[in-house]
Structures are given as structure tokens and as C-alpha cells.
Amino acid sequence: MKPRYQQNGVLQRTDRSALKGPLRRPRGLKTRRAILRKAVNLASLEGLEGLTIGTLASTLRISKSGLFAHFGSKEDLQCAVVDEARDIFVEEVVRPAFKFDGLERLRALCENWLRYGRERVFPGGCFFSAASLEFDDRPGRVRDRIVELMKKWLGNLEQAARDAQSAGEIQKDVDVHQLAFEIQALAMGANWRSRLFRDQNAYRAARAAILQRIDQATEPMQSRE
């Protein structure tokens, strides 16, 4: 079982597969992770709904029965892909920011997110920005998983801002819930503009806007130079 990084973080690092069902052999786990990494990349480009056992088997040139041994249904596959994308997001964005506290953590979370989107960690841009739009009106386990993870991500931003507020780095009258909302809206807007308009300056513009908004929330002595 892997450690948790934060109680309310984007990911509580418990390996759910270890909590139910038979333990997988190391070779089987390695194969499963390789399949999921390919599936995440495909889903970021074609959407989760476009990802099926058949299309993935064809892409990987393996049998459908081989994939069914790892994923019992399309929905199981989609949920596993969301979890794989979550793990990658945590490693790229969340975990490095937890070296810091308060205002530094908030800024690190924002910088890491923008870098992750700009550098195309997923070939289709931010996986969760796309998945959130794709499943916002589709009930089911996949949507529930995405909603849970997005709430935890917003909770990360809000908690970092709240800690900064407690440390006197952010003004006491600032609504940290609203601040987290605005940061996320600007970040998702950058992903949308970058993907739809192929705008090379989208992330740069979003970074400037996000850091300006954070500066507006800080005490004068904490403003960036």
C-alpha cells in the first residue's frame, strides 16, 4: 500500500486493487500499467468514450480476451484509466508542491499544473480538463470518480491558500474557496485555448493572470517582486 500525501489531496495513495480481489503477480501488474499508460494517452486524444476494449486491443495488437483478463468491461477500463491519469497527475503536479507550505505550496501547485499542461504530459493536453467536460452530464462510476478527484484537487488549492492565510501570507478577508475556483477556471481556460486555437501563448497568459490574482490576495509585504 502506497503512502498518502495529504488527507484531502487529489489522491489518497491507497492502492484500491490491494483492498479487493486477488493479488496480481508482479509481471501482471507491469503489463497492466503498460496497457494503462497507452490507454491514458489514447483517451486524452480521443476521449474516454472513444476508448473501448476493442479499440485498445487493436492498437496494442493483443487479443480482446487478453484485455478482458485485466479489465472486465468498458466502464472498468475507463475507471482504471482515470486512476492511472490521477497517479501521473499526482507525480507531476501535486507531490513536488508538497515540499513547500502555505503560499509557496499554492504557487508551486499552479506552476506545476501549468507546466504539466504546456509540456503535454498527456498528448491531448490536460486529461482531467477534457474528461470533466466529456462526463459532466453522464451519470455513472466514471463521472463519480472524476468528480471526486476534481474536488480533491480544488481542496488542495483551497487548503494551501487557507494555510497561507493562517500564516499571515494571504489577507484575512480573502475568500479562499473563491480564490481556488478562480485559479482553476484560469488554468482550464488555458488548456481550452491552447487545444482549440493552438494558441502558444495560452499558458503564459494564464500564468500571468493566476500569479496576479494570488498577488492581489497577499499582504503587501508578501507581493512578488
Side-chain angles (χ1 to χ4, degrees):
M1 185 178 293
K2 298 179 180 179
R4 296 180 178 182
Y5 294 129
Q6 184 193 18
Q7 199 69 15
N8 294 317
V10 145
L11 167 66
Q12 294 186 14
R13 298 279 295 182
T14 300
D15 185 353
R16 295 180 183 179
S17 65
L19 301 179
K20 58 183 180 180
L23 294 175
R24 293 187 174 88
R25 294 179 180 177
R27 185 178 178 183
L29 284 173
K30 185 176 180 180
T31 301
R32 177 183 170 87
R33 293 305 295 269
I35 291 171
L36 284 174
R37 195 61 179 89
K38 183 66 175 179
V40 166
N41 287 339
L42 282 173
S44 77
L45 291 167
E46 301 177 9
L48 279 166
E49 274 300 293
L51 186 68
T52 65
I53 297 288
T55 58
L56 185 57
S58 177
T59 300
L60 295 172
R61 296 182 179 180
I62 60 178
S63 67
K64 288 185 181 181
S65 60
L67 276 182
F68 272 115
H70 293 281
F71 316 101
S73 68
K74 177 180 177 178
E75 187 176 57
D76 289 339
L77 172 62
Q78 290 173 330
C79 286
V81 167
V82 170
D83 287 346
E84 178 69 10
R86 170 203 62 192
D87 288 351
I88 295 167
F89 185 86
V90 166
E91 292 301 319
E92 294 286 337
V93 178
V94 179
R95 188 179 184 186
F98 272 63
K99 295 183 293 186
F100 309 106
D101 295 307
L103 190 59
E104 282 189 277
R105 178 178 294 178
L106 179 61
R107 285 181 173 149
L109 286 168
C110 296
E111 294 277 15
N112 293 348
W113 193 101
L114 291 165
R115 177 194 53 77
Y116 139 94
R118 183 180 64 250
E119 295 181 0
R120 297 283 195 271
V121 170
F122 299 111
C126 176
F127 179 93
F128 288 103
S129 293
S132 296
L133 294 173
E134 185 180 3
F135 278 83
D136 57 359
D137 286 324
R138 295 181 180 180
R141 285 198 297 135
V142 180
R143 182 186 186 278
D144 292 345
R145 190 76 57 90
I146 294 168
V147 168
E148 176 189 3
L149 296 175
M150 288 298 90
K151 284 181 177 179
K152 288 178 179 178
W153 164 242
L154 286 168
N156 266 321
L157 294 173
E158 188 173 333
Q159 187 60 54
R162 183 171 288 109
D163 290 345
Q165 198 171 48
S166 297
E169 298 172 321
I170 286 181
Q171 298 171 27
K172 294 185 182 301
D173 62 348
V174 169
D175 183 340
V176 294
H177 182 79
Q178 176 70 17
L179 179 60
F181 168 80
E182 291 175 17
I183 289 171
Q184 176 65 7
L186 286 165
M188 287 192 71
N191 185 77
W192 166 78
R193 188 173 183 87
S194 172
R195 296 298 300 160
L196 186 63
F197 298 136
R198 301 294 188 262
D199 184 350
Q200 300 298 314
N201 295 316
Y203 287 101
R204 185 184 308 166
R207 180 181 185 272
I210 288 170
L211 294 182
Q212 181 182 49
R213 181 65 189 90
I214 292 174
D215 280 349
Q216 290 170 350
T218 62
E219 296 288 350
M221 69 179 65
Q222 297 293 336
S223 295
R224 290 183 306 113
E225 297 179 358

